[in-house]
Amino acid sequence: MLRRRMSDAETETYQLYYWPNIQGRGELVRLALEDVGAPYVDVARMTTERGGGVEAILRVLEGEGGGGRHFAPPILRASDITVSQTACILDFLAGRHPELLPPDELARTRALQLELTLGDLIAEAHDAHHPIGNLLYYEDQKEEAAKRSAIFLRERIPKFFSFFESVVKENKASKREHLVGSGFSYVDLSLFHVLSGLAYAFPNRFDQVRKDIPLLLALRDRVASRPRVSAYLGSTRRVPFSSHGIFRHYPELDP
Ligand SMILES: N[C@@H](CCC(=O)N[C@@H](CS)C(=O)NCC(=O)O)C(=O)O
């Protein structure tokens, strides 16, 4: 079974279903696919005539193509399976691409825990500007966003950062300056994205806490200079940060 999946992974083209104009959580999946050099199609960025567009996402959410319904993108389709939930997608990819995580049960469970913790941080970063409702405009929840983001910046960023910095510090003792003790993994790629997003959204706060996370910043920079990641960041496949995504820069929320 494992051997069959490995050879599938070497040859097949993945289909990523994610909103076309934002990085969002889709970016965590893109980074993993890019880092292993896996062929993939960002389906919703294709024209509707070619089977793309938002309509393609809606069809997969409803279960078209088999494998059941999905609640929200990102969704990744391989030839024999369709997976949603970002951490679950990355865990699935790790099972196929050992470059994303050595095949070891303990490491795989640890990676998933850390990825889910990054997912919690991402959700809180989103709620800092949309604390009341996803479908409301920011302008309709500005007062609440000011209160929520103040707490996020004052209490939550330091707590998350201190946790992840300590994780790398512990692994450094065994000469592995990564989030998962076995070495480089997809979680490092996700950390790169989260740190980049927070630095974009909250540059003032990020500058203040920079001194507390030297190991995380060094890890972020090492990830950015990985050849395939660096090529991807300079390519048109990379959607830029914007005021529509999860990480948004509203100067009034970052005094
Ligand atoms: N826990 C899910 C969250 C997925 C999610 O919230 N996706 C967003 C885009 S990043 C979305 O389109 N949500 C629609 C909704 O929640 O109704 C994951 O990590 O994939």
Side-chain angles (χ1 to χ4, degrees):
M1 178 70 167
L2 183 63
R3 198 170 303 126
R4 185 179 70 79
R5 285 186 174 262
M6 295 299 298
S7 66
D8 282 354
E10 278 158 23
T11 54
E12 80 175 319
T13 298
Y14 293 104
Q15 291 172 292
L16 172 64
Y17 294 83
Y18 193 72
W19 307 120
N21 299 317
I22 57 169
Q23 293 178 349
R25 291 174 176 85
E27 194 64 11
L28 304 174
V29 182
R30 289 192 193 100
L31 280 167
L33 293 167
E34 293 279 349
D35 190 68
V36 295
Y40 71 98
V41 180
D42 217 327
V43 180
R45 295 183 75 189
M46 298 190 315
T47 60
T48 41
E49 291 75 34
R50 294 183 60 211
V54 167
E55 294 85 341
I57 302 177
L58 302 179
R59 288 195 296 270
V60 177
L61 286 172
E62 284 170 14
E64 186 198 81
R69 290 173 173 268
H70 299 271
F71 184 73
I75 303 164
L76 187 75
R77 173 161 285 171
S79 56
D80 54 352
I81 188 168
T82 305
V83 189
S84 57
Q85 288 288 354
T86 312
C88 191
I89 294 171
L90 292 170
D91 178 67
F92 163 74
L93 285 173
R96 292 188 157 204
H97 299 274
E99 310 94 294
L100 289 173
L101 188 72
D104 167 272
E105 196 185 0
L106 276 181
R108 193 156 173 185
T109 306
R110 180 68 175 154
L112 188 52
Q113 289 167 48
L114 293 169
E115 186 65 34
L116 286 163
T117 310
L118 281 174
D120 293 342
L121 172 52
I122 291 172
E124 291 195 26
H126 169 272
D127 291 352
H129 56 76
H130 269 68
I132 301 297
N134 276 357
L135 297 180
L136 296 176
Y137 290 111
Y138 164 66
E139 286 67 25
D140 296 330
Q141 47 192 314
K142 272 179 95 165
E143 261 180 46
E144 294 88 349
K147 287 185 195 159
R148 180 74 191 248
S149 62
I151 292 170
F152 177 65
L153 297 186
R154 190 175 65 238
E155 294 170 12
R156 301 300 285 171
I157 283 203
K159 182 166 182 179
F160 277 108
F161 277 14
S162 156
F163 168 72
F164 285 114
E165 179 77 7
S166 305
V167 170
V168 179
K169 194 170 185 180
E170 275 169 20
N171 293 335
K172 187 182 177 192
S174 49
K175 308 251 179 295
R176 305 268 193 201
E177 282 185 55
H178 296 279
L179 282 167
V180 178
S182 54
F184 171 78
S185 74
Y186 68 80
V187 192
D188 294 338
L189 294 168
S190 296
L191 175 87
F192 159 79
H193 180 59
V194 171
L195 291 182
S196 308
L198 290 172
Y200 167 80
F202 304 105
N204 292 334
R205 184 64 177 134
F206 200 86
D207 270 350
Q208 290 162 1
V209 294
R210 188 179 280 280
K211 63 181 183 332
D212 304 324
I213 52 165
L215 297 176
L216 293 184
L217 292 178
L219 178 53
R220 177 198 65 178
D221 293 347
R222 289 202 306 282
V223 169
S225 63
R226 288 173 71 81
R228 285 185 179 131
V229 171
S230 152
Y232 165 63
L233 296 177
S235 76
T236 53
R237 297 189 300 286
R238 165 86 164 174
V239 181
F241 284 112
S242 75
S243 54
H244 303 291
I246 292 175
F247 297 107
R248 299 190 190 186
H249 178 57
Y250 293 117
E252 63 274 23
L253 299 186
D254 182 40

